[in-house]
Amino acid sequence: RALGAIGDLQAVPALLQALKDENWVVREAAAEALGAIGDLQAVPALLQALKDENRVVRRATARALGKIGDLQAVPALLKALKDKDEDVRRAAAEALGKLGDPQVVPALLKALKDKDEDVRRAAARALGKIVGALQPKEEERQEQAALLDRVAQALYRARRKTDVYEPLRTILEKLDALTVSYFDPFAPPPTSLPVRVARQVGVYLVIAILLAALALLVILSGAVEEVLGEQAKAWLKRYPVGVLLLLAAGLAALGGGLSWAVERIRKRAGAGQ
């Protein structure tokens, strides 16, 4: 560990030898030191150490490979993602997240269903790192958007079994940026289907209701006249202007209320787009 902290490349040969020591504690320390130094020449030996019989050594080796960052470790780490020990699986998921190879996304999506919560959490964070680091490319826009959407949906489904808030937020922000960046900023915002329907239906609905209300008022006035008889006729003849003004006010109030209701429908439909 001290040699790894120093970071001296001259210590690599000795550490590679220590990686074969009979004592697992020595092998673990050698793996950690090699990971801290980060020399690529240690990768082949570490790939072999990833098969060590001791779970602690395998865990330290997976972490070391993640620190070194050589993509040739991906196949071995994918196998370690299925290790019988949960600590090794978690270390493998973390290492894959550091390597950042999008090809490992399907395996990490499966790891979201691991029986161990720490493994699921590590897989979610690894997905957030890998997919969140994608650089938008015009020629790969659809593929990248599909990948982001797939990962976001998987994380959302896993939310009840593990903490996925941070990686999910990262991916959703990435998906939003990827989508928005390819729209014309000067183009008017598209009108959603609910708003268009509300606008068309609202106009005809107001007209139909106003006509129905007018017909109802005529019927009611006739009914009132029939009930009240001559007294109603005299009142209507005496105050014709007042009756007309009252009817007009009623219709205006009804129309205003209906217009307000239609506008509320439009605003709610627009807020949902």
Side-chain angles (χ1 to χ4, degrees):
R1 290 189 177 92
L3 292 173
I6 296 173
D8 189 356
L9 292 177
Q10 295 182 358
V12 171
L15 290 172
L16 291 176
Q17 190 63 33
L19 204 56
K20 303 176 183 178
D21 196 274
E22 294 182 358
N23 191 325
W24 68 266
V25 177
V26 176
R27 299 198 301 274
E28 177 198 11
E32 291 180 353
L34 289 168
I37 293 174
D39 189 6
L40 291 176
Q41 66 174 318
V43 171
L46 288 171
L47 292 177
Q48 290 298 319
L50 200 55
K51 304 174 184 178
D52 197 283
E53 61 182 12
N54 187 280
R55 64 180 184 86
V56 179
V57 177
R58 297 197 302 274
R59 180 187 62 189
T61 302
R63 290 176 176 172
L65 289 169
K67 291 179 179 179
I68 294 175
D70 191 349
L71 290 179
Q72 68 173 308
V74 168
L77 288 171
L78 287 176
K79 291 182 179 180
L81 196 58
K82 301 177 182 179
D83 195 278
K84 61 183 179 181
D85 183 79
E86 61 272 14
D87 289 336
V88 177
R89 298 198 301 273
R90 184 185 70 227
E94 293 172 349
L96 289 170
K98 292 179 180 179
L99 293 181
D101 186 1
Q103 300 298 324
V104 306
V105 167
L108 289 172
L109 289 176
K110 292 181 179 180
L112 287 176
K113 302 177 182 179
D114 194 280
K115 60 182 180 181
D116 185 81
E117 182 178 358
D118 291 334
V119 176
R120 297 195 300 269
R121 186 182 299 111
R125 291 176 178 173
L127 286 166
K129 289 181 180 180
I130 294 173
V131 182
L134 290 175
Q135 297 299 320
K137 297 180 181 179
E138 174 62 28
E139 63 276 10
E140 299 178 4
R141 179 174 63 90
Q142 293 183 350
E143 292 78 3
Q144 289 181 343
L147 178 62
L148 287 165
D149 183 69
R150 179 185 177 190
V151 174
Q153 290 188 36
L155 289 174
Y156 182 77
R157 288 192 297 268
R159 72 191 186 282
R160 295 183 180 179
K161 295 184 178 180
T162 189
D163 180 16
V164 300
Y165 174 74
E166 286 298 330
L168 181 57
R169 185 180 67 173
T170 299
I171 292 173
L172 289 178
E173 290 176 351
K174 189 75 175 182
L175 181 59
D176 182 64
L178 180 67
T179 305
V180 172
S181 63
Y182 290 97
F183 281 113
D184 182 3
F186 299 103
T191 304
S192 66
L193 180 61
V195 174
R196 295 198 302 270
V197 172
R199 288 176 179 173
Q200 293 296 326
V201 173
V203 174
Y204 296 110
L205 182 63
V206 169
I207 295 175
I209 293 179
L210 287 176
L211 292 175
L214 180 60
L216 181 61
L217 286 174
V218 172
I219 295 173
L220 288 176
S221 63
V224 169
E225 182 180 351
E226 183 178 351
V227 172
L228 297 179
E230 293 300 327
Q231 184 179 357
K233 290 181 180 180
W235 188 82
L236 291 173
K237 289 179 180 179
R238 186 176 181 181
Y239 305 104
V241 178
V243 172
L244 291 176
L245 290 176
L246 182 63
L247 289 174
L251 289 175
L254 181 61
L258 291 174
S259 298
W260 176 84
V262 171
E263 186 63 24
R264 293 285 297 178
I265 295 173
R266 290 177 178 176
K267 289 183 178 180
R268 289 188 178 182
Q273 65 178 331

